[in-house]
Amino acid sequence: MPYLLISTQIRMEVGPTMVGDEHSDPNLMHYLGATKRNVLGNHFWEYYVNDAPRIVLNKLESCGYRVVSMTGVGQTLVWCLHKE
C-alpha cells in the first residue's frame, strides 16, 4: 500500500492519532503500536495510537513514507503520505 492517511481530532499536540482502517497493513500497524477499534455508531474499524501526530509522522518517515498533503476538515487534521 503506497498511500496512507492519518488523522487527529481537536488536540494535535497529544493525540490520539488514527493511523489506518481494517484494510491497513498489519505489520505497519504493529510497528506503530496501533490498536484496532470499532467506535459505537461506526460501521467500520480503525487503527489508532495514543501518540501525537508528530511522533507518528516521524515513525512513518523512518519507514520511507513522505507527506504528500495535509488539510484541516472542521476540527480534524488529515495527512496523506506516500511510500515510494
Side-chain angles (χ1 to χ4, degrees):
M1 289 185 170
Y3 285 96
L4 180 68
L5 291 175
I6 69 168
S7 65
T8 190
Q9 296 177 333
I10 302 172
R11 296 291 312 258
M12 69 177 240
E13 298 86 4
V14 295
T17 305
M18 281 17 106
V19 294
D21 60 22
E22 64 241 48
H23 306 292
S24 296
D25 177 4
N27 294 324
L28 180 60
M29 296 300 110
H30 178 73
Y31 171 74
L32 295 174
T35 303
K36 193 175 183 180
R37 71 176 178 185
N38 178 268
V39 177
L40 184 64
N42 288 348
H43 301 295
F44 58 89
W45 292 80
E46 64 186 3
Y47 282 97
Y48 78 100
V49 294
N50 285 321
D51 295 330
R54 176 184 59 82
I55 303 296
V56 175
L57 289 167
N58 287 341
K59 287 181 178 180
L60 290 169
E61 181 182 32
S62 71
C63 292
Y65 284 90
R66 300 290 180 257
V67 173
V68 175
S69 65
M70 184 268 188
T71 190
V73 182
Q75 293 184 340
T76 301
L77 296 173
V78 181
W79 292 264
C80 177
L81 295 94
H82 183 267
K83 183 175 182 178
E84 302 261 342

XYZ file of all heavy atoms in Angstrom:
673
model
N 0.839 -1.187 0.000
C 0.000 0.000 0.000
C 0.879 1.245 0.000
O 1.473 1.558 1.013
C -0.870 0.037 1.251
C -1.955 -0.962 1.309
S -2.946 -0.637 2.786
C -4.269 -1.710 2.451
N 0.977 1.932 -1.102
C 1.852 3.089 -1.126
C 1.259 4.336 -0.468
O 1.996 5.221 -0.060
C 2.088 3.323 -2.610
C 0.896 2.744 -3.281
C 0.458 1.596 -2.419
N -0.078 4.422 -0.329
C -0.695 5.606 0.269
C -1.216 5.285 1.657
O -1.672 4.173 1.934
C -1.850 6.130 -0.579
C -1.382 6.845 -1.808
C -1.294 6.175 -3.019
C -1.006 8.180 -1.764
C -0.853 6.815 -4.153
C -0.556 8.829 -2.901
C -0.482 8.145 -4.085
O -0.034 8.787 -5.214
N -1.161 6.288 2.529
C -1.620 6.142 3.900
C -2.223 7.467 4.351
O -1.660 8.531 4.080
C -0.430 5.773 4.797
C -0.694 5.564 6.265
C -1.533 4.302 6.480
C 0.618 5.423 7.014
N -3.376 7.413 4.991
C -3.989 8.593 5.584
C -3.901 8.466 7.096
O -4.207 7.401 7.647
C -5.462 8.715 5.200
C -5.787 9.041 3.751
C -7.298 9.010 3.545
C -5.237 10.392 3.360
N -3.481 9.529 7.765
C -3.556 9.565 9.218
C -4.310 10.835 9.599
O -4.344 11.802 8.835
C -2.170 9.509 9.896
C -1.369 10.793 9.660
C -1.400 8.277 9.438
C -0.147 10.882 10.542
N -4.939 10.817 10.767
C -5.711 11.992 11.180
C -5.750 12.084 12.691
O -5.479 11.125 13.412
C -7.139 11.913 10.632
O -7.828 10.825 11.211
N -6.083 13.265 13.157
C -6.296 13.501 14.580
C -7.399 14.528 14.724
O -7.648 15.319 13.816
C -5.002 13.973 15.275
O -5.199 13.967 16.689
C -4.586 15.354 14.828
N -8.075 14.494 15.855
C -9.176 15.415 16.094
C -8.871 16.299 17.296
O -8.337 15.827 18.290
C -10.472 14.665 16.350
C -10.931 13.858 15.162
C -12.185 13.062 15.468
O -12.449 12.705 16.600
N -12.954 12.773 14.434
N -9.236 17.548 17.197
C -9.247 18.548 18.252
C -7.860 18.871 18.803
O -7.399 19.976 18.654
C -10.219 18.157 19.383
C -11.626 17.971 18.804
C -10.233 19.212 20.485
C -12.632 17.403 19.757
N -7.154 17.929 19.455
C -5.874 18.227 20.100
C -4.724 17.521 19.398
O -4.430 16.382 19.675
C -5.894 17.783 21.569
C -6.874 18.503 22.456
C -6.490 19.962 22.690
N -5.111 20.148 23.049
C -4.673 20.377 24.274
N -5.499 20.414 25.279
N -3.392 20.567 24.486
N -4.056 18.196 18.466
C -2.985 17.532 17.731
C -1.696 17.436 18.542
O -0.794 16.700 18.194
C -2.714 18.206 16.401
C -2.106 19.571 16.468
S -1.795 20.144 14.800
C -0.044 20.365 14.884
N -1.610 18.133 19.671
C -0.380 18.098 20.467
C -0.223 16.802 21.250
O 0.876 16.422 21.613
C -0.342 19.276 21.460
C -0.338 20.634 20.817
C -1.751 21.154 20.512
O -2.735 20.487 20.862
O -1.844 22.234 19.921
N -1.336 16.129 21.540
C -1.256 14.971 22.432
C -1.816 13.678 21.849
O -1.624 12.620 22.426
C -1.972 15.259 23.770
C -1.273 16.365 24.532
C -3.431 15.606 23.556
N -2.531 13.733 20.755
C -3.141 12.531 20.188
C -4.502 12.284 20.795
O -5.018 13.132 21.507
N -5.142 11.184 20.518
C -4.653 10.053 19.739
C -4.620 10.370 18.248
O -5.194 11.355 17.801
C -5.670 8.948 20.035
C -6.950 9.675 20.281
C -6.534 10.957 20.959
N -3.951 9.496 17.499
C -3.840 9.636 16.059
C -4.419 8.397 15.392
O -4.065 7.281 15.758
C -2.361 9.803 15.644
O -1.800 10.909 16.354
C -2.230 10.030 14.149
N -5.335 8.602 14.456
C -5.879 7.498 13.672
C -4.876 7.197 12.564
O -4.462 8.101 11.834
C -7.213 7.869 13.030
C -8.453 7.824 13.937
S -8.224 7.801 15.675
C -8.697 9.445 16.113
N -4.482 5.918 12.445
C -3.403 5.568 11.526
C -3.799 4.561 10.455
O -2.965 4.205 9.623
C -2.164 5.047 12.292
C -1.560 6.148 13.131
C -2.510 3.838 13.147
N -5.029 4.081 10.458
C -5.410 3.126 9.430
C -6.823 2.607 9.600
O -7.499 2.922 10.572
N -7.247 1.797 8.613
C -8.565 1.173 8.680
C -8.389 -0.338 8.686
O -7.267 -0.848 8.757
C -9.449 1.637 7.516
C -8.869 1.301 6.156
O -8.035 0.381 6.060
O -9.252 1.955 5.180
N -9.490 -1.068 8.600
C -9.418 -2.526 8.696
C -8.622 -3.174 7.566
O -8.241 -4.336 7.658
C -10.811 -3.145 8.777
C -11.626 -2.907 7.516
C -12.884 -2.118 7.744
O -12.819 -1.074 8.412
O -13.933 -2.552 7.253
N -8.335 -2.435 6.503
C -7.586 -2.978 5.369
C -6.109 -2.582 5.391
O -5.385 -2.864 4.441
C -8.217 -2.522 4.055
C -9.671 -2.845 3.964
N -10.153 -4.135 3.871
C -10.768 -2.047 3.995
C -11.471 -4.121 3.833
N -11.868 -2.863 3.901
N -5.671 -1.939 6.455
C -4.286 -1.472 6.543
C -3.312 -2.624 6.753
O -3.686 -3.697 7.235
C -4.151 -0.474 7.696
O -4.930 0.666 7.443
N -2.067 -2.379 6.407
C -1.002 -3.365 6.554
C -0.811 -3.706 8.039
O -0.416 -2.845 8.829
C 0.289 -2.786 5.972
C 1.490 -3.684 6.132
O 1.364 -4.817 6.624
O 2.593 -3.239 5.740
N -1.083 -4.949 8.435
C -0.973 -5.311 9.849
C 0.449 -5.180 10.395
O 0.626 -4.846 11.573
C -1.456 -6.761 9.911
C -1.613 -7.227 8.530
C -1.572 -6.046 7.617
N 1.461 -5.393 9.560
C 2.847 -5.238 10.023
C 3.162 -3.779 10.348
O 3.817 -3.495 11.349
C 3.831 -5.778 8.986
C 3.708 -7.271 8.818
O 3.454 -7.995 9.782
N 3.872 -7.743 7.600
N 2.693 -2.868 9.497
C 2.902 -1.444 9.747
C 2.138 -1.010 10.995
O 2.663 -0.266 11.817
C 2.465 -0.607 8.540
C 2.630 0.895 8.680
C 4.092 1.278 8.908
C 2.065 1.606 7.460
N 0.914 -1.494 11.156
C 0.119 -1.138 12.335
C 0.805 -1.636 13.614
O 0.839 -0.936 14.628
C -1.295 -1.719 12.237
C -2.117 -1.149 11.073
S -2.358 0.630 11.172
C -1.333 1.217 9.825
N 1.396 -2.823 13.547
C 2.129 -3.358 14.702
C 3.350 -2.484 15.005
O 3.624 -2.171 16.168
C 2.547 -4.806 14.436
C 3.343 -5.399 15.545
N 2.783 -5.750 16.748
C 4.662 -5.693 15.626
C 3.730 -6.236 17.533
N 4.888 -6.206 16.871
N 4.085 -2.085 13.962
C 5.256 -1.221 14.143
C 4.875 0.103 14.822
O 5.592 0.594 15.680
C 5.924 -0.942 12.792
C 7.005 0.100 12.863
C 8.233 -0.189 13.432
C 6.782 1.387 12.383
C 9.225 0.777 13.519
C 7.762 2.361 12.462
C 8.981 2.048 13.027
O 9.966 3.008 13.118
N 3.723 0.653 14.432
C 3.272 1.918 15.013
C 2.706 1.737 16.420
O 2.478 2.720 17.117
C 2.210 2.565 14.113
C 2.678 3.016 12.729
C 1.491 3.495 11.901
C 3.746 4.099 12.837
N 2.459 0.488 16.822
C 1.863 0.233 18.137
C 0.377 0.511 18.139
O -0.206 0.870 19.159
N -0.258 0.349 16.974
C -1.676 0.699 16.811
C -2.597 -0.384 17.356
O -2.286 -1.573 17.325
C -1.985 0.944 15.337
N -3.735 0.062 17.837
C -4.792 -0.805 18.339
C -6.001 -0.670 17.427
O -6.362 0.436 17.035
C -5.188 -0.387 19.775
O -4.025 -0.420 20.603
C -6.240 -1.304 20.340
N -6.620 -1.794 17.098
C -7.803 -1.791 16.236
C -9.043 -1.616 17.104
O -9.188 -2.283 18.129
C -7.869 -3.112 15.472
C -8.846 -3.141 14.325
C -8.701 -4.490 13.604
C -9.583 -4.579 12.399
N -9.426 -5.873 11.718
N -9.937 -0.719 16.697
C -11.156 -0.489 17.468
C -12.332 -0.178 16.559
O -12.159 0.219 15.404
C -10.970 0.641 18.471
C -10.889 2.017 17.813
C -10.792 3.119 18.818
N -10.666 4.410 18.137
C -10.471 5.543 18.755
N -10.355 5.568 20.054
N -10.376 6.657 18.067
N -13.513 -0.368 17.106
C -14.760 -0.006 16.436
C -15.496 0.929 17.377
O -15.886 0.527 18.468
C -15.599 -1.245 16.133
C -16.920 -0.885 15.492
O -17.920 -0.704 16.180
N -16.920 -0.780 14.190
N -15.669 2.174 16.980
C -16.350 3.168 17.798
C -17.854 2.983 17.639
O -18.350 2.792 16.517
C -15.922 4.601 17.388
C -16.671 5.644 18.184
C -14.418 4.766 17.548
N -18.571 3.030 18.747
C -20.017 2.861 18.736
C -20.662 3.801 17.718
O -20.386 4.993 17.685
C -20.594 3.137 20.129
C -22.092 2.918 20.294
C -22.441 1.450 20.077
C -22.541 3.367 21.669
N -21.482 3.241 16.840
C -22.165 4.020 15.813
C -21.476 3.989 14.465
O -22.073 4.340 13.456
N -20.192 3.594 14.437
C -19.474 3.483 13.165
C -19.608 2.063 12.622
O -19.616 1.103 13.388
C -17.990 3.803 13.339
C -17.736 5.270 13.581
O -18.626 6.104 13.409
N -16.537 5.599 13.998
N -19.683 1.935 11.320
C -19.795 0.627 10.678
C -18.456 0.194 10.096
O -18.417 -0.532 9.107
C -20.861 0.664 9.580
C -22.212 1.045 10.098
N -22.914 0.273 10.986
C -22.965 2.134 9.864
C -24.065 0.854 11.266
N -24.121 1.999 10.597
N -17.378 0.659 10.695
C -16.037 0.322 10.225
C -15.092 0.251 11.413
O -15.391 0.738 12.504
C -15.536 1.360 9.212
C -15.495 2.764 9.765
C -14.371 3.246 10.410
C -16.596 3.604 9.625
C -14.336 4.532 10.930
C -16.575 4.899 10.130
C -15.439 5.357 10.785
N -13.950 -0.394 11.198
C -12.898 -0.485 12.202
C -11.794 0.485 11.833
O -11.585 0.796 10.664
C -12.344 -1.908 12.246
C -13.331 -2.889 12.781
C -14.374 -3.461 12.099
C -13.395 -3.399 14.098
N -15.068 -4.305 12.921
C -14.490 -4.302 14.171
C -12.630 -3.217 15.248
C -14.828 -4.984 15.326
C -12.966 -3.901 16.402
C -14.052 -4.770 16.435
N -11.070 0.961 12.841
C -9.943 1.855 12.611
C -8.806 1.490 13.560
O -9.041 0.898 14.613
C -10.349 3.313 12.818
C -10.776 3.639 14.238
C -11.319 5.042 14.407
O -11.428 5.776 13.422
O -11.639 5.396 15.548
N -7.598 1.809 13.135
C -6.426 1.654 13.990
C -6.065 3.028 14.550
O -6.113 4.030 13.835
C -5.233 1.136 13.195
C -5.259 -0.343 12.910
C -5.725 -0.824 11.698
C -4.771 -1.256 13.839
C -5.721 -2.182 11.412
C -4.770 -2.615 13.569
C -5.237 -3.072 12.360
O -5.232 -4.412 12.089
N -5.670 3.053 15.827
C -5.257 4.316 16.428
C -4.091 4.074 17.374
O -3.853 2.950 17.831
C -6.415 4.982 17.170
C -6.680 4.370 18.524
C -6.213 4.974 19.691
C -7.373 3.174 18.647
C -6.428 4.393 20.924
C -7.603 2.603 19.870
C -7.128 3.211 21.012
O -7.329 2.628 22.240
N -3.349 5.123 17.632
C -2.283 5.112 18.633
C -2.505 6.312 19.540
O -3.113 7.306 19.140
C -0.874 5.175 18.003
C -0.572 3.931 17.198
C -0.696 6.406 17.158
N -2.014 6.233 20.752
C -2.161 7.351 21.682
C -1.108 8.431 21.469
O -1.143 9.464 22.120
C -2.120 6.857 23.134
C -3.413 6.185 23.526
O -4.493 6.622 23.142
N -3.322 5.091 24.264
N -0.177 8.186 20.536
C 0.876 9.166 20.254
C 0.322 10.375 19.510
O -0.672 10.285 18.796
C 1.964 8.539 19.375
C 2.694 7.413 20.072
O 2.805 7.449 21.307
O 3.153 6.500 19.372
N 1.012 11.492 19.665
C 0.695 12.698 18.903
C 1.074 12.474 17.436
O 1.953 11.654 17.136
C 1.473 13.886 19.459
N 0.427 13.173 16.506
C 0.750 13.013 15.082
C 2.232 13.196 14.767
O 2.780 12.494 13.923
C -0.087 14.089 14.398
C -1.227 14.318 15.315
C -0.670 14.118 16.692
N 2.903 14.099 15.459
C 4.330 14.341 15.219
C 5.141 13.068 15.422
O 6.026 12.740 14.628
C 4.819 15.448 16.163
C 6.294 15.726 16.091
C 6.707 16.774 17.123
N 6.407 16.380 18.484
C 7.192 15.564 19.221
N 8.282 15.056 18.705
N 6.857 15.276 20.459
N 4.835 12.312 16.461
C 5.542 11.057 16.739
C 5.265 10.043 15.622
O 6.169 9.365 15.141
C 5.097 10.486 18.104
C 5.324 11.490 19.229
C 5.768 9.150 18.380
C 6.742 11.851 19.498
N 3.989 9.943 15.230
C 3.596 9.001 14.173
C 4.264 9.380 12.851
O 4.792 8.508 12.146
C 2.061 8.967 14.018
C 1.651 8.080 12.850
C 1.403 8.497 15.307
N 4.275 10.663 12.510
C 4.910 11.102 11.262
C 6.406 10.789 11.266
O 6.962 10.371 10.246
C 4.674 12.597 11.048
C 3.232 12.977 10.682
C 3.037 14.479 10.817
C 2.875 12.496 9.295
N 7.075 10.947 12.392
C 8.495 10.607 12.490
C 8.713 9.112 12.261
O 9.646 8.712 11.557
C 9.064 11.017 13.843
C 9.249 12.511 13.981
O 9.297 13.242 12.996
N 9.338 12.980 15.213
N 7.867 8.266 12.854
C 7.988 6.817 12.665
C 7.755 6.440 11.199
O 8.479 5.614 10.641
C 6.982 6.075 13.549
C 7.339 6.067 15.011
C 6.297 5.287 15.802
C 6.627 5.215 17.267
N 5.609 4.463 18.038
N 6.748 7.046 10.585
C 6.439 6.733 9.190
C 7.545 7.198 8.252
O 7.839 6.537 7.258
C 5.087 7.326 8.797
C 3.879 6.649 9.451
C 2.622 7.466 9.225
C 3.715 5.228 8.944
N 8.176 8.318 8.564
C 9.289 8.783 7.737
C 10.430 7.767 7.772
O 11.055 7.489 6.744
C 9.791 10.147 8.210
C 10.933 10.673 7.360
C 11.465 12.002 7.835
O 11.449 12.262 9.052
O 11.914 12.775 6.969
N 10.674 7.170 8.928
C 11.750 6.176 9.021
C 11.414 4.906 8.244
O 12.305 4.115 7.937
C 12.044 5.841 10.488
O 10.991 5.099 11.059
N 10.128 4.713 7.903
C 9.696 3.567 7.081
C 9.650 3.917 5.596
O 9.246 3.087 4.779
C 8.306 3.104 7.509
S 8.235 2.382 9.136
N 9.996 5.154 5.231
C 10.017 5.536 3.827
C 8.810 6.319 3.358
O 8.691 6.615 2.175
N 7.891 6.663 4.255
C 6.715 7.450 3.867
C 7.056 8.928 3.870
O 7.843 9.395 4.691
C 5.553 7.207 4.835
C 4.857 5.889 4.627
C 5.274 4.744 5.303
C 3.788 5.772 3.750
C 4.641 3.525 5.113
C 3.149 4.566 3.552
C 3.578 3.453 4.234
O 2.952 2.248 4.044
N 6.453 9.655 2.938
C 6.622 11.114 2.843
C 5.252 11.766 2.784
O 4.332 11.246 2.142
C 7.397 11.496 1.573
C 8.786 10.891 1.494
C 9.727 11.526 2.525
N 11.047 10.951 2.460
C 11.528 10.058 3.331
N 10.774 9.623 4.308
N 12.755 9.598 3.230
N 5.117 12.925 3.420
C 3.850 13.651 3.399
C 3.629 14.222 2.001
O 4.506 14.893 1.452
C 3.829 14.781 4.449
C 2.574 15.632 4.310
C 3.922 14.197 5.858
N 2.449 13.933 1.443
C 2.068 14.458 0.133
C 1.237 15.718 0.315
O 1.419 16.710 -0.369
C 1.267 13.411 -0.676
C 0.762 13.992 -1.980
C 2.102 12.172 -0.913
N 0.306 15.666 1.276
C -0.540 16.830 1.544
C -1.078 16.746 2.957
O -1.046 15.700 3.606
C -1.695 16.904 0.538
O -2.551 15.783 0.708
N -1.583 17.883 3.427
C -2.175 17.987 4.752
C -3.296 18.999 4.669
O -3.185 19.990 3.942
C -1.101 18.437 5.746
C -1.574 18.496 7.172
S -2.170 20.118 7.563
C -2.419 19.945 9.293
N -4.393 18.734 5.383
C -5.510 19.673 5.382
C -6.252 19.599 6.702
O -6.106 18.649 7.466
C -6.481 19.391 4.207
O -7.418 20.463 4.116
C -7.215 18.082 4.395
N -7.053 20.605 6.954
C -7.936 20.612 8.103
C -9.373 20.497 7.629
O -9.766 21.130 6.651
N -10.133 19.644 8.302
C -11.546 19.447 7.979
C -12.308 19.606 9.289
O -12.312 18.699 10.116
C -11.803 18.041 7.374
C -13.263 17.879 7.000
C -10.899 17.775 6.191
N -12.930 20.760 9.491
C -13.571 21.012 10.785
C -12.526 21.007 11.883
O -11.554 21.742 11.824
N -12.708 20.136 12.879
C -11.726 20.020 13.957
C -10.812 18.808 13.766
O -10.211 18.319 14.711
C -12.448 19.932 15.299
C -13.164 21.209 15.665
C -13.788 21.131 17.042
O -14.012 20.058 17.581
N -14.053 22.279 17.615
N -10.713 18.337 12.545
C -9.875 17.188 12.231
C -8.740 17.617 11.303
O -8.946 18.395 10.384
C -10.716 16.091 11.523
O -11.784 15.705 12.376
C -9.874 14.882 11.186
N -7.539 17.110 11.564
C -6.397 17.329 10.686
C -6.079 16.008 10.005
O -6.095 14.958 10.643
C -5.180 17.806 11.476
C -5.353 19.169 12.151
C -4.165 19.465 13.034
C -5.530 20.259 11.113
N -5.797 16.063 8.701
C -5.559 14.858 7.912
C -4.263 15.021 7.135
O -4.039 16.040 6.494
C -6.717 14.586 6.917
C -6.455 13.327 6.129
C -8.047 14.519 7.643
N -3.406 13.981 7.187
C -2.185 13.932 6.406
C -2.268 12.783 5.429
O -2.689 11.679 5.784
C -0.968 13.689 7.303
C -0.628 14.801 8.219
C 0.309 15.792 8.010
C -1.178 15.053 9.524
N 0.350 16.634 9.093
C -0.554 16.206 10.046
C -2.146 14.428 10.307
C -0.841 16.728 11.283
C -2.450 14.958 11.557
C -1.811 16.080 12.024
N -1.866 13.010 4.191
C -1.768 11.958 3.180
C -0.292 11.706 2.955
O 0.471 12.630 2.677
C -2.441 12.389 1.878
S -2.287 11.163 0.559
N 0.124 10.442 3.096
C 1.507 10.064 2.924
C 1.639 9.052 1.804
O 0.687 8.305 1.516
C 2.064 9.451 4.208
C 2.134 10.407 5.414
C 0.892 10.276 6.254
C 3.350 10.135 6.238
N 2.816 9.016 1.176
C 3.079 8.071 0.088
C 4.438 7.431 0.326
O 5.376 8.080 0.774
C 3.078 8.802 -1.251
C 3.260 7.878 -2.412
N 4.501 7.609 -2.957
C 2.373 7.176 -3.125
C 4.355 6.773 -3.957
N 3.082 6.487 -4.085
N 4.510 6.144 0.039
C 5.775 5.414 0.148
C 6.213 5.004 -1.252
O 5.478 4.379 -1.975
C 5.603 4.167 1.013
C 6.886 3.413 1.217
C 6.674 2.253 2.172
C 7.991 1.533 2.411
N 7.822 0.447 3.371
N 7.411 5.415 -1.617
C 7.948 5.092 -2.949
C 8.366 3.639 -3.019
O 8.755 3.038 -2.101
C 9.150 5.988 -3.242
C 8.811 7.446 -3.188
C 8.564 8.069 -4.537
O 8.967 7.480 -5.535
O 7.987 9.145 -4.565
